[in-house]
Amino acid sequence: MPISLVDVASLAGVSLATASRVVSGSPYKVSSKTRERVLKAVGELGYTPNALARALVTDSNPIIGVIVGSVTDPYFAEICRGVEDFARPHEFLTIVCNADRNLSIEMAYLQMLREYKSLGIIIAGGMYTNTPETEAIREIVRKATEQGIQIVSVGDRFFEGVPTITADHRCGLYDLTNYLIHLGHKEIAFVEGPPDFTTSTSRKQGYLDAMDDANLEPLTYSGSFDYQDGRSSALRILSDGLPEAIIAFNDDSAVGVLNTLRQAGVKIPQDVSVAGVDDIRYAEVLDLTTVNVPMYQLGAMAAHAIFNWEENPPPKQVILPHRVVPRGTTARRVKLATIVSTVEGYPS
Amino acid sequence: MPISLVDVASLAGVSLATASRVVSGSPYKVSSKTRERVLKAVGELGYTPNALARALVTDSNPIIGVIVGSVTDPYFAEICRGVEDFARPHEFLTIVCNADRNLSIEMAYLQMLREYKSLGIIIAGGMYTNTPETEAIREIVRKATEQGIQIVSVGDRFFEGVPTITADHRCGLYDLTNYLIHLGHKEIAFVEGPPDFTTSTSRKQGYLDAMDDANLEPLTYSGSFDYQDGRSSALRILSDGLPEAIIAFNDDSAVGVLNTLRQAGVKIPQDVSVAGVDDIRYAEVLDLTTVNVPMYQLGAMAAHAIFNWEENPPPKQVILPHRVVPRGTTARRVKLATIVSTVEGYPS
DNA sequence: TTGTATGCGTTATCAA
DNA sequence: TTGATAACGCATACAA
C-alpha cells in the first residue's frame, strides 16, 4: 500500500492533520474549501485509509469476530448469518474464525481479535471441559473484556462477566424425550455427544431427567457430532437390538442413525422412531423430528448485544426458546397386538 | 492491551531494541544471559506482541483470508477446511469472510485483508457478471498483488495475473449429461443456476454441448443456488410434465427438486432420474447422483500455492479432476415396452 | 552484543 | 480553521 495520507496532504497542499480530519470524519473543523481539496486529492490518488494504523491509534476496529466450533457444521453457519445480517447495516465487517473445537486454536483467535481491537467477539458453541487450556482461555477473555472488547458467549458455555445467549439444551432434550414418551415409547435410547463436552452433558442430562421422571430406564450409546458417528452408533444399536425410539445428540448424527438403520432394512418410524436436535436445514429436508434451536436468532441477538452494549447492556444470560418439531421420523408406538385389536371385526 | 514491549524492556533492564530482538526471533544477536532476562520479564508480565503494530512495521501478517460466496453453503465450508488444514501447520491463522456473493461486500473484505497485510487471499466461488463493481474489484486485486499479496482464485473466475484453481464446470456437466444419455434418457431437463453467474453459465454450457452432440433437444428451467429454488423449479417441471431426467445446477437445488417431486408422488428414479453437482456431504446421505467437485483439495491446493509461492510459483491455472458419481437417484431408462420384451417368456 | 533513533500510517493534543 | 508534533507498539539501520 504505497499511497498514504501524507501523499494526499501534500497533493492537496494541506497539513497531514487537516487531511486526517476530513478523511476520518472527525467533528467538523475544516472549511468546505479545504475539505474539497482534500477529497479531490483522495479521489485522484485512490487513497484508502489504512485500517491497521487507524486501529492502532484509535484502539478500536470496526470488525466483529465470530469464533465457531466448526466451519463445516451448519449449526454455526446459521449463527454466522445471524451475526452478519445484524453487523452489516452498521458497516462492520464480520470475521469468522474456525477454532475446530480446539481450545489452543480458539485462544489464538481470541488473542488475534483482541490485538486487532475488534469491537466485539462472539464465541459460539460448547467446549471440552477436560483440557488444561480452560483457565488460559478464561484469562484471555478476562483481559479482553478489561480492554473494553465486548464478548458474548453463544452456547452452553459461561465466563465470568460475559453475557451468554443460548437455548436451554437440557430442557430441549427433556421436552423431546417427553414427546417420545407421550407417543407411547418406553425404551428410548440416547446417542450421546462427545464426552466431556458441555452441550453433550446438558443434553444428556435432559434426557436422563425425563426418563427418570417417567420412571423409565435410560439407555445410552456413545456418539459424537457427525454423520459418521451416528452411523457407528447405529451399528451398535442394531447389534444390541432395536429400542422403540432413538434420540441423537444432534441432527447430523441422527441422520447417520437414520440412514444406517434404513440400510439395514429397518422401517422408520414404523419399527423405531428417530429424532435429533438443532433443526438444521437438512432436518426438514429429511423430515426428521427434532428440537428447533433458533440458531439464526442466537447469532442476531449476540450481534445486537454488542452493538447496543452501552445504551442497553445485555443481561447476564438470555435463554431463547426452543421447540420440539414433530416430523415424519417419529410416530406413536403401535404394538402388533394393538393393531389387531383396533381393526374392525378382528378382536384380539 | 496495556502491556507492551517497553514494559518488558524496562522490567528486564534492557533497551527496547534488545527486547524486540528476543521476542521477534530475529537473527541471534543477543547473549543468552540477557535473552533469559527478557524472557523472564515476558513471562511475568504476560506479554504478547501486538499483531497490529507488528504488521504495520513489517508489512506482513501471518494470516490468510478466504473470501467465500456464502457461509451457509457447504460447498465453501469444505474449501475452508482444506485451506485451514494446510495453513495450520504453518502457524497461520485463517480468516473466513462471507461476501454473500455480493461484490461490494467482497471489495470491503478484499480491502481489509489488503490493509491487514495478509500473506494471501483466496477468493472462492464464481461471480455475477452483470454488476458494475467488476472493474473495481479487478483494480483492488491488481493493487493487492502489486503490494505482494498472494491471491488465488478458487472457482470459475479469472483475474489478470492471478492463478486459478478450479474444476472444469463445463466439462463436469458435459460428463454428467452424457452419463444420463448413456442411461438411455433423451428428454433431459436442466435446472439452471442463477443468471449471469459464471458457474451457472459454464455448467449450462456443458449441458447444452452434451445435448447438442447427442442431437437431443435441450430443455431448461430457471433456478438458483438453494433448496427452495429447487423446489420452485420442480413445481414448474411438474406442471409442464415430467421429462425422463433432471439435472440441477448444484446438489442443494437438486435435493429441492427431489423432495418436491417425491412429495408429489413421483417415484425416483423409476419415473424420473435426478442428479446434482458438487457432491456435498448430503448428496451421499441422500444417495443423490452427482458430479464430485474436489472442494477440499481445491482449498488445500490454494493454500499450498500461497505457502510455496516463492520456491514453486503456481501455474496460471490448475484444473482439478471431477468425477461423475452414480448413485440411487438415477437409473437406466426403462420403457414399459422394454420391460415386457425382456421378461422371459413374454415377448413384446 | 547492546542501545539510539527512525519509521510504519493514523489520530489526537496542543498551539498558532 | 489549520499546522506541528506526540503518541500507538513494534522492528530495524546504524552507532556504540
Side-chain angles (χ1 to χ4, degrees):
Chain A
M1 184 115 95
I3 155 101
S4 77
L5 239 202
V6 299
D7 302 319
V8 173
S10 75
L11 193 149
V14 300
S15 77
L16 177 60
T18 306
S20 172
R21 290 201 246 282
V22 11
V23 303
S24 69
S26 76
Y28 305 146
K29 283 184 177 181
V30 49
S31 72
S32 54
K33 224 176 191 154
T34 39
R35 144 161 287 120
E36 211 167 309
R37 288 228 307 282
V38 172
L39 256 22
K40 182 152 162 282
V42 165
E44 286 179 16
L45 264 38
Y47 165 81
T48 55
N50 182 303
L52 232 48
R54 191 174 262 186
L56 189 61
V57 61
T58 61
D59 222 65
S60 76
N61 202 348
I63 60 176
I64 103 132
V66 186
I67 301 180
V68 302
S70 164
V71 252
T72 43
D73 190 331
Y75 182 85
F76 294 109
E78 285 304 322
I79 291 179
C80 288
R81 189 161 283 286
V83 173
E84 287 181 2
D85 285 355
F86 209 98
R88 205 101 76 202
H90 292 259
E91 306 245 33
F92 269 60
L93 254 23
T94 301
I95 284 179
V96 0
C97 308
N98 176 28
D100 233 15
R101 297 195 178 98
N102 175 319
L103 289 187
S104 302
I105 300 176
E106 183 170 277
M107 278 183 61
Y109 278 120
L110 232 22
Q111 184 65 34
M112 179 192 87
L113 258 9
R114 205 183 132 213
E115 286 162 7
Y116 281 15
K117 322 281 188 186
S118 57
L119 174 67
I121 302 178
I122 294 171
I123 306 180
M127 76 181 288
Y128 285 103
T129 54
N130 59 342
T131 80
E133 292 98 331
T134 312
E135 205 36 62
I137 296 244
R138 295 204 181 284
E139 181 61 15
I140 291 193
V141 167
R142 198 183 53 69
K143 279 187 184 169
T145 54
E146 272 179 7
Q147 180 186 339
I149 295 185
Q150 288 141 4
I151 304 192
V152 5
S153 164
V154 171
D156 204 357
R157 203 169 164 188
F158 305 88
F159 299 93
E160 177 93 13
V162 168
T164 299
I165 301 177
T166 184
D168 188 332
H169 294 282
R170 195 204 64 83
C171 188
L173 250 103
Y174 187 88
D175 293 348
L176 177 59
T177 307
N178 253 329
Y179 166 72
L180 287 167
I181 291 172
H182 286 338
L183 244 32
H185 300 294
K186 294 196 186 308
E187 294 170 19
I188 304 173
F190 180 61
V191 175
E192 304 185 28
D196 299 312
F197 192 78
T198 54
T199 320
S200 291
T201 309
S202 300
R203 291 186 174 179
K204 179 180 181 180
Q205 195 57 52
Y207 161 78
L208 292 176
D209 290 351
M211 293 299 274
D212 192 53
D213 287 357
N215 273 317
L216 259 27
E217 202 61 43
L219 171 62
T220 62
Y221 286 86
S222 68
S224 194
F225 295 109
D226 298 340
Y227 176 77
Q228 287 301 338
D229 302 314
R231 289 190 69 97
S232 63
S233 299
L235 292 178
R236 279 175 281 131
I237 292 178
L238 276 170
S239 80
D240 280 5
L242 242 38
E244 297 166 3
I246 302 170
I247 297 174
F249 164 72
N250 67 6
D251 287 341
D252 218 19
S253 64
V255 173
V257 169
L258 201 65
N259 259 24
T260 306
L261 256 35
R262 280 187 175 144
Q263 283 165 14
V266 176
K267 292 268 176 294
I268 294 166
Q270 294 88 337
D271 299 338
V272 59
S273 285
V274 174
V277 186
D278 286 345
D279 201 16
I280 60 175
R281 204 160 48 81
Y282 270 88
E284 184 188 349
V285 171
L286 291 166
D287 203 26
L288 174 72
T289 292
T290 188
V291 180
N292 176 274
V293 175
M295 303 162 286
Y296 180 90
Q297 282 80 358
L298 250 18
M301 280 215 53
H304 176 85
I306 287 177
F307 285 107
N308 297 80
W309 204 280
E310 313 294 345
E311 320 86 76
N312 193 10
K316 291 278 166 255
Q317 189 170 345
V318 176
I319 306 284
L320 257 38
H322 60 268
R323 190 179 85 249
V324 172
V325 182
R327 294 212 180 93
T329 56
T330 51
R332 183 163 291 282
R333 187 190 175 210
V334 186
K335 281 190 170 173
L336 270 182
T338 316
I339 295 178
V340 174
S341 72
T342 58
V343 172
E344 249 188 12
Y346 288 90
S348 62
Chain B
M1 185 112 97
I3 155 103
S4 76
L5 237 201
V6 299
D7 303 318
V8 173
S10 73
L11 193 150
V14 301
S15 76
L16 176 62
T18 306
S20 171
R21 292 201 245 282
V22 11
V23 303
S24 69
S26 76
Y28 305 146
K29 284 183 177 182
V30 50
S31 73
S32 54
K33 225 177 191 155
T34 39
R35 143 163 286 121
E36 213 166 305
R37 288 227 309 282
V38 172
L39 256 20
K40 182 153 161 282
V42 165
E44 288 180 14
L45 265 38
Y47 166 81
T48 55
N50 183 300
L52 231 49
R54 193 173 260 186
L56 189 60
V57 62
T58 62
D59 222 68
S60 75
N61 201 350
I63 61 176
I64 103 131
V66 186
I67 301 179
V68 302
S70 165
V71 253
T72 44
D73 191 332
Y75 182 86
F76 293 109
E78 285 304 323
I79 291 178
C80 287
R81 190 162 283 287
V83 173
E84 286 182 3
D85 286 356
F86 210 98
R88 204 102 74 202
H90 292 259
E91 305 244 34
F92 269 59
L93 254 24
T94 301
I95 284 178
V96 0
C97 307
N98 176 27
D100 233 15
R101 298 194 177 99
N102 176 319
L103 290 187
S104 303
I105 300 175
E106 182 168 279
M107 277 183 62
Y109 279 119
L110 232 22
Q111 185 66 33
M112 181 193 86
L113 258 9
R114 205 183 132 213
E115 286 163 8
Y116 282 14
K117 322 281 190 188
S118 57
L119 174 67
I121 302 177
I122 294 171
I123 305 179
M127 76 181 288
Y128 285 103
T129 54
N130 59 343
T131 81
E133 292 99 331
T134 312
E135 204 37 61
I137 296 244
R138 296 205 180 284
E139 181 62 12
I140 291 192
V141 167
R142 200 183 50 69
K143 280 187 184 172
T145 53
E146 273 179 7
Q147 180 187 338
I149 295 185
Q150 287 142 3
I151 304 191
V152 6
S153 164
V154 171
D156 204 358
R157 205 169 162 186
F158 305 88
F159 298 92
E160 178 94 13
V162 168
T164 298
I165 302 178
T166 185
D168 188 332
H169 294 281
R170 194 204 66 82
C171 188
L173 250 104
Y174 187 90
D175 292 348
L176 177 60
T177 307
N178 253 330
Y179 166 72
L180 287 168
I181 292 172
H182 286 337
L183 245 32
H185 300 294
K186 295 195 185 310
E187 293 171 19
I188 304 173
F190 181 62
V191 175
E192 306 185 26
D196 299 313
F197 191 79
T198 53
T199 320
S200 290
T201 308
S202 299
R203 291 186 173 179
K204 179 178 180 181
Q205 195 58 51
Y207 160 79
L208 292 177
D209 290 351
M211 292 299 273
D212 191 54
D213 287 357
N215 272 318
L216 259 25
E217 202 60 42
L219 172 62
T220 63
Y221 286 86
S222 67
S224 193
F225 295 110
D226 298 340
Y227 176 78
Q228 287 302 339
D229 302 314
R231 288 191 69 95
S232 63
S233 299
L235 292 178
R236 277 175 281 130
I237 293 177
L238 277 170
S239 80
D240 280 5
L242 243 39
E244 297 168 2
I246 303 170
I247 296 174
F249 165 71
N250 68 5
D251 287 341
D252 218 19
S253 65
V255 173
V257 168
L258 202 63
N259 261 21
T260 305
L261 256 33
R262 280 186 175 145
Q263 283 164 15
V266 176
K267 294 267 175 295
I268 293 166
Q270 295 86 338
D271 298 340
V272 58
S273 286
V274 174
V277 186
D278 285 345
D279 201 16
I280 59 175
R281 205 162 46 82
Y282 270 87
E284 183 187 351
V285 171
L286 292 166
D287 202 26
L288 174 72
T289 292
T290 188
V291 179
N292 176 275
V293 175
M295 302 162 286
Y296 180 91
Q297 282 79 359
L298 249 19
M301 279 215 56
H304 175 86
I306 287 177
F307 284 106
N308 298 78
W309 204 279
E310 314 295 344
E311 319 87 75
N312 193 10
K316 291 277 165 257
Q317 188 169 347
V318 177
I319 306 282
L320 257 38
H322 59 268
R323 186 178 89 249
V324 172
V325 182
R327 295 213 180 93
T329 55
T330 49
R332 183 163 292 282
R333 186 188 177 212
V334 187
K335 280 192 172 173
L336 269 183
T338 317
I339 295 179
V340 174
S341 72
T342 58
V343 174
E344 248 189 13
Y346 288 88
S348 60

